[in-house]
Amino acid sequence: MKVFRLDELESERAANEGAYLQFLRERNMSVGLYALDAGQSDPQQPHRQDEVYYVVSGRAAITVGEETETVANGSIVYVPAGVPHKFHHITEPLKVLVVFSPPEG
């Protein structure tokens, strides 16, 4: 078993001065913490893996392909592999758990 604390992951992500921290990598998936400040732009490009976002905190819009939805605490978004997607109109600092399957990279 592996157990993680969100506050510790956030501290590690911030210390590394990056928007993304991968904290778990297994044979069939990887999991990371992604954070964007209010007003920040999302530089993501489409990934080769399916992914699921779980919004831990914050408020934003996300566009996946041609569809746009508002997301906030508790929102879960599935993004199929290869589909363009971006968070935008981030009005509250955004913290998102990201699950990639198969593992990213």
Side-chain angles (χ1 to χ4, degrees), residues 82-97:
V83 175
H85 58 283
K86 293 216 184 283
F87 289 100
H88 53 92
H89 296 94
I90 302 168
T91 57
E92 296 175 17
L94 194 62
K95 287 189 180 53
V96 182
L97 288 177

Side-chain angles (χ1 to χ4, degrees), residues 13-83:
R13 186 203 60 78
N16 290 321
E17 298 181 5
Y20 183 72
L21 171 71
Q22 179 177 278
F23 62 88
L24 178 65
R25 183 178 182 86
E26 297 293 335
R27 186 171 57 93
N28 293 315
M29 69 173 192
S30 61
V31 184
L33 177 64
Y34 190 46
L36 296 167
D37 288 329
Q40 188 174 355
S41 61
D42 182 1
Q44 290 192 82
Q45 298 296 316
H47 304 284
R48 292 179 299 162
Q49 304 83 358
D50 287 342
E51 58 187 309
V52 173
Y53 291 112
Y54 172 74
V55 178
V56 175
S57 63
R59 181 174 298 279
I62 185 170
T63 298
V64 177
E66 300 296 320
E67 297 179 81
T68 300
E69 291 286 336
T70 300
V71 294
N73 307 20
S75 296
I76 300 169
V77 180
Y78 167 68
V79 179
V83 175

